[in-house]
Amino acid sequence: MNIATAREEERQAAERTFWEAVWILIVLIVCALILLPLGRVRLAWELAQAIGLLWLGVMITIWVLQRVQSLLRVVDDPPSNAYVLSNLFVSGAVLFVWTAHLVLLIREFAQPAPAWTAAVLYFIGLLAGHTGFSSVSAFYGGQIYRFVNLFVALGGYVLFSVWPAAARVVGGWVPQP
């Protein structure tokens, strides 16, 4: 890979990260505006904290994964199968755990609420699940990562919403913001 190509890829990654962050901010603002009349503004704050926790978790796992890949001499240029699969596994696992944590957070606010309010809160949780996907996609931008992680985020959200016991097992250990 030549220097010009590497710089162009870095520029594209930085631009993608910027637009993912803008999307997350827009979704958080919309969620806050929806939650304000419902008296659940604290949920918007906790969603923002959870997304921040996700970004921190992704950055830490990327650092650890890069060290392990380096130690095991996993080739990243051109990407080997081991490189792609390990990145796919780690990004999906982080997103899966975070999605379970998200569902537990939404359930905490939705349980004492009327059915229509709970439906709105679960919809907001679905939007937040998509922002979790966007957060992970800011770091893992390849098409295969985006495809699999979208399925993990939205499928995991539906799974954990229907089966909260699984959410407690997978994401119950994550500290509440």
Side-chain angles (χ1 to χ4, degrees), residues 74-96:
V74 175
V75 179
D76 66 341
D77 188 26
S80 66
N81 288 343
Y83 178 80
V84 172
L85 290 174
S86 61
N87 284 341
L88 196 56
F89 175 77
V90 168
S91 64
V94 169
L95 191 55
F96 195 65

Side-chain angles (χ1 to χ4, degrees), residues 2 18-19 23 34 45 49 61 71 85 100 114 117 127 156 165:
N2 63 30
F18 171 77
W19 288 113
W23 169 247
I34 293 171
W45 174 247
Q49 288 178 323
T61 57
L71 182 68
L85 290 174
T117 304
L127 286 176

Side-chain angles (χ1 to χ4, degrees), residues 83-128:
Y83 178 80
V84 172
L85 290 174
S86 61
N87 284 341
L88 196 56
F89 175 77
V90 168
S91 64
V94 169
L95 191 55
F96 195 65
V97 169
W98 184 81
T99 301
H101 172 71
L102 171 67
V103 168
L104 294 174
L105 183 64
I106 295 297
R107 280 182 57 82
E108 178 184 325
F109 284 86
Q111 280 186 337
W116 70 271
T117 304
V120 170
L121 295 178
Y122 274 98
F123 175 74
I124 287 174
L126 188 63
L127 286 176

